[in-house]
Amino acid sequence: MSTPTLLVLDAEPLPRLGRLTGRARIEHTDASSLAERLPHADVLLVWDFTSHAVREAWPGGGPRPRWVHTASAGVDHLMCLELADSETVVTNARGVFDQPIAEYVAALVLAMAKDLPTTLRLQGERTWRHRESTRVAGTRACVVGSGPIGRAIARTLKALGITTALVGRTARTGVHGPDELDRLLARADWVVAAAPLTDDTRGMFDARRFGVMQPSARFVNVGRGQLVVEDDLAEALNRRWIAGAALDVLSREPLAPESPLWGVPDLIISPHMSGDTVGWRDELGAQFVELFESWAAGRPLANVVDKKRGYVPGH
């Protein structure tokens, strides 16, 4: 077999691919030249996982890479009909972000229960104001999304003493089906969105769903921004249909300074950082190198995405 060409859709800092020296012809591209470079690549590494360049460039003419790997859990940024219908294998970064995101969700739950945002604001104002906070042990959570990230969130919340129900695409042992979602939302103190973005999940958290929740409930989204109808969430918070929310992912990123979401009461906004711990890029690079070694040796690839469903099946 001739030396395969690995094309990297770049983002800074670049991935560490030294282990592939002499084993792959590594080329780099940006969005502007991706379309003309695709026909000459055997493998495409989507290191810039915030870019939609693959989705835009893929439908063009000529051969296409046999394998595409994205350094992210979600694949909606690159998937298009032509890629979904092709024989190209798509893999993702499943496994790198599970526990960091679970820890971030736990931090948000504790921050909201203990009213830490108000404490920090009052400290900045040099104001001493005693308050009572909420005990999390004994409360209930509904985690929507039963993949590795959702399961890690459920385990971590259970360690805090929170009774946790996991909702997935299909019902099975330990996982509730979508037909039970409204019932679980109505009982939950914490609702966590960790589902992939598909036709079934887009906009699933809307005015009706926020209306089902308890007035004391808090909502957290660490899945995809488009899972939430953000105007409906803003209205739910302004009208006190729910007690609070936290968004680590938004429908448009970065969130514009003029967005009204910044001023919504009891809403915590973070810049898509829940899975990004110190060293995360090195983990992503090492994961890809291991996958490349399997691919080059003809072994089955891990983390293969079902391109029609938009996620790795079997969880």
Side-chain angles (χ1 to χ4, degrees):
M1 177 180 176
S2 60
T3 303
T5 297
L6 165 60
L7 183 63
V8 182
L9 180 59
D10 284 344
E12 294 292 340
L14 296 177
R16 296 182 180 181
L17 302 175
R19 278 169 53 187
L20 300 184
T21 301
R23 304 164 66 185
R25 185 182 301 107
I26 301 175
E27 300 180 357
H28 296 267
T29 187
D30 59 16
S32 65
S33 59
L34 177 62
E36 64 182 89
R37 306 287 291 277
L38 275 178
H40 310 289
D42 298 294
V43 179
L44 174 64
L45 168 57
V46 185
W47 191 247
D48 184 0
F49 52 80
T50 65
S51 172
H52 292 163
V54 175
R55 191 165 63 194
E56 296 163 1
W58 195 272
R64 287 295 179 260
R66 290 173 283 159
W67 168 36
V68 173
H69 177 77
T70 179
S72 61
V75 299
D76 51 281
H77 59 290
L78 57 84
M79 201 58 64
C80 61
L81 181 62
E82 291 81 2
L83 175 54
D85 288 341
S86 73
E87 295 183 358
T88 297
V89 175
V90 175
T91 57
N92 70 357
R94 181 173 61 95
V96 172
F97 301 107
D98 305 354
Q99 191 55 36
I101 291 177
E103 293 173 5
Y104 199 88
V105 170
L108 288 170
V109 166
L110 290 170
M112 288 189 280
K114 305 308 176 184
D115 199 21
L116 293 185
T118 301
T119 296
L120 295 173
R121 176 177 59 80
L122 292 175
Q123 180 179 347
E125 298 171 359
R126 297 172 179 255
T127 299
W128 181 281
R129 184 184 302 163
H130 180 269
R131 303 172 326 279
E132 295 179 345
S133 64
T134 302
R135 180 184 298 185
V136 298
T139 59
R140 296 176 181 269
C142 175
V143 178
V144 183
S146 59
I149 292 174
R151 296 200 307 272
I153 292 170
R155 287 194 303 270
T156 303
L157 295 183
K158 287 177 182 177
L160 295 174
I162 300 174
T163 300
T164 304
L166 197 58
V167 178
R169 183 173 179 269
T170 56
R172 54 196 183 277
T173 303
V175 178
H176 298 270
D179 57 324
E180 296 185 74
L181 178 56
D182 285 355
R183 177 182 66 81
L184 294 169
L185 291 181
R187 303 174 62 195
D189 302 288
W190 312 98
V191 177
V192 183
L197 181 62
T198 67
D199 290 341
D200 292 332
T201 62
R202 188 182 303 273
M204 68 182 300
F205 290 101
D206 56 9
R208 190 189 71 79
R209 286 263 160 74
F210 292 124
V212 168
M213 297 179 196
Q214 302 181 82
S216 59
R218 270 99 167 192
F219 173 77
V220 176
N221 186 16
V222 290
R224 306 300 287 174
Q226 294 87 346
L227 299 178
V228 179
V229 181
E230 291 167 352
D231 288 345
D232 290 358
L233 173 60
E235 182 178 17
L237 289 167
N238 279 311
R239 296 193 176 192
R240 306 302 300 168
W241 293 352
I242 61 174
L247 300 177
D248 184 59
V249 288
L250 294 113
S251 59
R252 293 186 179 180
E253 298 179 2
L255 185 64
E258 63 272 15
S259 171
L261 285 175
W262 292 111
V264 173
D266 299 305
L267 175 60
I268 298 172
I269 294 173
S270 55
H272 204 149
M273 58 182 283
S274 60
D276 302 347
T277 52
V278 175
W280 66 285
R281 290 184 178 87
D282 290 340
E283 288 186 55
L284 289 173
Q287 180 188 56
F288 173 74
V289 169
E290 291 180 6
L291 286 170
F292 186 94
E293 290 172 342
S294 292
W295 177 82
R299 298 192 297 269
L301 283 168
N303 293 6
V304 174
V305 173
D306 182 319
K307 294 184 291 182
K308 302 295 186 182
R309 297 182 182 179
Y311 55 88
V312 179
H315 303 289

